[in-house]
Amino acid sequence: QEEFGIDLCVVTNPMHFLRGVPDNEAIAKIANWNDAAKRIEDESGGTMLSFAGAIPNGGPAMMRELERALGELSLRGVFI
């Protein structure tokens, strides 16, 4: 990044692969992404920030995972 003058990268995952996946499986995959996103951010030395993944209409379980990602994991945005 530094070589090309890039100070900060934002890492996201559009979650398109979850189309048609049952909600409970989709939430588990999103939680897995959110954990990985946090690791990416933590290991970047401040040069990357990661956005939580979310799907529209995911219901209460999706909202709980989103709250965890933004609260417990301290991810700084959401890619819907």
Side-chain angles (χ1 to χ4, degrees):
Q1 287 172 240
E2 190 175 317
E3 176 183 346
F4 297 102
I6 299 171
D7 297 322
L8 181 68
C9 289
V10 177
V11 181
T12 65
N13 185 338
M15 303 292 170
H16 295 301
F17 66 95
L18 295 176
R19 177 171 284 143
V21 173
D23 285 350
N24 62 328
E25 290 179 40
I27 305 290
K29 291 179 185 300
I30 289 170
N32 186 52
W33 159 254
N34 290 337
D35 291 336
K38 179 62 175 169
R39 285 192 303 276
I40 291 167
E41 188 172 299
D42 287 348
E43 294 171 4
S44 77
T47 61
M48 294 184 180
L49 68 87
S50 298
F51 281 9
I55 53 173
N57 304 317
M62 180 69 255
M63 289 306 298
R64 285 190 296 276
E65 174 54 27
L66 186 54
E67 288 171 352
R68 182 186 80 88
L70 298 176
E72 179 184 323
L73 299 179
S74 300
L75 296 177
R76 294 184 271 172
V78 182
F79 191 87
I80 301 172

